[in-house]
Amino acid sequence: MRGVIFDGEKPRVVDDLEVRDPGPGEVLVAVRAAGLCHSDLSVIDGTIPFPAPVVLGHEGAGVVEAVGAGVGHVEPGDQVALSTLANCGACAECDRGRPTMCRKAIGMPGTPFRWRGAPLYQFASNSAFAERTVVKAVQAVKISPRIPAASAALIGCSVLTGVGAVLNRAKVDRGDSVVVIGAGGIGLNVLQGARLAGASVIVAVDANPAKEERARQFGATHFIDASAVPDSVKAVKAVLPTGADHAFECVGSTRLIRQAVDLLDRHGQAVLLGVPPATAEASFLVSSMYLDKAILGCRYGSARPQRDIALYARLYREGRLLLDELVSAEYPVEDFARAADDAHHGRVARGVLVFPE
C-alpha cells in the first residue's frame, strides 16, 4: 500500500508499505483523507523529536475495515474520524475526564508498519499518511458518512485543538475579548471557537494580509496585518485599549509568546498552541503576572475525543462549524512534496492528502 514515510533524512512516498492486522481493542481503518499539519513538517525538520523511520500523518478520516476482539462501538463500513489520543481509559487522569494527560497516550510509539522487511514507528499513534492504519479503538470516532472525508479528516487535529483550546482550556465566555496570533489552520479554528463561545471582540493577527478574508469568515471581527504595522501590540491595543481577556499564540514563536502575554488585560490568560523547538525558552515580565494573569499550556485542545469529535461533527451538519472552508486544496498522496511546500509557505489553510477508494 501507499504511504509517506520519514527515514530520518527526508520524506518519501512509497507503495510497498505494510500494516499488521488489528489486535484486541484495535481498529483497522482504510484512510480516505488526511490533513497535512505543521506538526508533520516539524518531525521532518526536527522541531518535534521523533524516532525514525516513521509513517507520518495524524489528522485523518476513513472507513473501518476490520475490528479486533472487544470492539463494539464501531464496525466495518463505518466512517470514522481519527484522534491521536491512544489513552488507556483506566488511569486517574482518564477517569477525571482528562485523556490528554494520560501518561500512556504519548511517548511510547508502536511499530505496526513494515517497509521492506523493517519495522516503522507510528506517528502520534495514528500515521494517517498511509492507505491503511491500525489504531486503538478509543481513537476511532464514528461520524456521519455524509461528511466529506477531506472535511472530516480535519476534525481530529486542527479543529479539536483550536476549538477545544477555546471551549475546554480557556473556557472563553460570552462577551469576552480574544486575540488570535497566527491565522493558519489552528488559528482559524481558534477564531471559530471564539465565535461559537460568543466572544464579542475577536482580533486576528497575521503577517500575511491575504489571510484577512478567511479570518473574518471564521469569526474575526478585526484583522491586523503584522507586516504593515511597526508594533502589533500597539495595533491590538488600539482595538482593545486595556488588553484582551484571552490571547492565543498559534505560531510557535517565543517572540510571539511574549507578545501574547503583553496583550493581556488584568485577569487575562495567554494560551500557547504553537510548537517552538523543544529546548526553546520564553520570557515575560514577572511583575505583570500579579494582576491575576495566567499562561496556559494546552495539549490537543484539552479534548475528550469521543465526546468532542462527535459534537463538532454535529455542529458542522447544523451549519454552525466550518470544515469545508478549511480545505484549501486536495492532493493525491504522490504529490506530498507539493502539499508540504504549500503548507510551509502558508499558501493553504489546510492541504489534504486523499486516498481514493
Side-chain angles (χ1 to χ4, degrees):
M1 66 179 184
R2 294 170 298 165
V4 181
I5 69 173
F6 174 59
D7 62 11
E9 295 183 359
K10 62 181 181 180
R12 63 174 75 188
V13 180
V14 301
D15 60 8
D16 51 354
L17 191 63
E18 299 175 14
V19 66
R20 63 169 173 78
D21 292 333
E26 294 181 334
V27 178
L28 176 67
V29 177
V31 178
R32 295 287 181 255
L36 177 54
C37 174
H38 278 280
S39 293
D40 299 299
L41 302 181
S42 293
V43 172
I44 295 170
D45 66 23
T47 300
I48 296 179
F50 203 88
V54 58
V55 181
L56 296 173
H58 64 287
E59 183 181 70
V63 176
V64 174
E65 281 203 345
V67 300
V71 177
H73 73 293
V74 294
E75 60 185 22
D78 287 342
Q79 175 163 266
V80 294
L82 301 177
S83 88
T84 70
L85 280 186
N87 58 293
C88 71
C91 69
E93 298 296 345
C94 288
D95 193 49
R96 292 183 181 120
R98 299 193 297 224
T100 58
M101 296 296 103
C102 175
R103 285 177 171 80
K104 294 186 178 180
I106 56 174
M108 293 175 283
T111 53
F113 298 96
R114 298 189 73 82
W115 181 58
R116 298 181 180 177
L120 287 84
Y121 288 103
Q122 185 173 37
F123 179 52
S125 303
N126 191 307
S127 290
F129 291 171
E131 287 186 275
R132 290 173 181 81
T133 189
V134 169
V135 297
K136 290 184 67 171
V138 72
Q139 296 176 252
V141 183
K142 184 177 178 179
I143 59 173
S144 170
R146 296 181 181 178
I147 302 178
S151 299
L154 306 185
I155 302 176
C157 180
S158 61
V159 176
L160 211 61
T161 298
V163 177
V166 174
L167 302 183
N168 300 330
R169 186 65 168 131
K171 300 186 186 302
V172 173
D173 201 358
R174 291 166 296 178
D176 283 356
S177 57
V178 172
V179 175
V180 181
I181 302 173
I186 298 298
L188 289 174
N189 281 295
V190 174
L191 290 170
Q192 71 170 332
R195 170 177 54 80
L196 286 168
S200 60
V201 179
I202 306 171
V203 183
V205 182
D206 200 284
N208 183 351
K211 293 183 179 181
E212 179 174 2
E213 181 179 358
R214 184 172 277 121
R216 290 186 180 275
Q217 179 184 24
F218 275 74
T221 60
H222 299 75
F223 183 89
I224 292 173
D225 174 9
S227 70
V229 296
D231 188 331
S232 296
V233 173
K234 287 184 178 179
V236 171
K237 289 194 172 181
V239 178
L240 296 168
T242 63
D245 296 313
H246 312 273
F248 295 82
E249 200 283 340
C250 304
V251 178
S253 160
T254 55
R255 178 181 64 83
L256 296 179
I257 289 172
R258 170 60 185 268
Q259 187 177 102
V261 175
D262 290 345
L263 284 169
L264 297 177
D265 194 357
R266 299 181 180 193
H267 67 73
Q269 52 187 13
V271 184
L272 311 186
L273 296 177
V275 183
T279 58
E281 297 182 359
S283 64
F284 57 91
L285 290 175
V286 176
S287 60
S288 72
M289 304 306 291
Y290 295 110
L291 295 172
D292 282 1
K293 298 181 183 181
I295 301 173
L296 305 180
C298 184
R299 169 168 160 71
Y300 204 44
S302 301
R304 286 182 275 176
Q306 287 290 336
R307 179 199 67 171
D308 291 350
I309 288 176
L311 169 63
Y312 300 154
R314 189 180 80 237
L315 292 176
Y316 164 79
R317 296 202 60 205
E318 293 173 354
R320 298 167 62 192
L321 185 83
L322 303 181
L323 292 180
D324 302 339
E325 295 81 358
L326 284 168
V327 181
S328 302
E330 297 182 19
Y331 309 83
V333 67
E334 291 80 9
D335 282 351
F336 173 78
R338 180 166 64 92
D341 188 66
D342 286 347
H344 179 72
H345 288 94
R347 302 186 189 106
V348 292
R350 247 330 181 248
V352 178
L353 302 181
V354 294
F355 297 88
E357 298 183 43

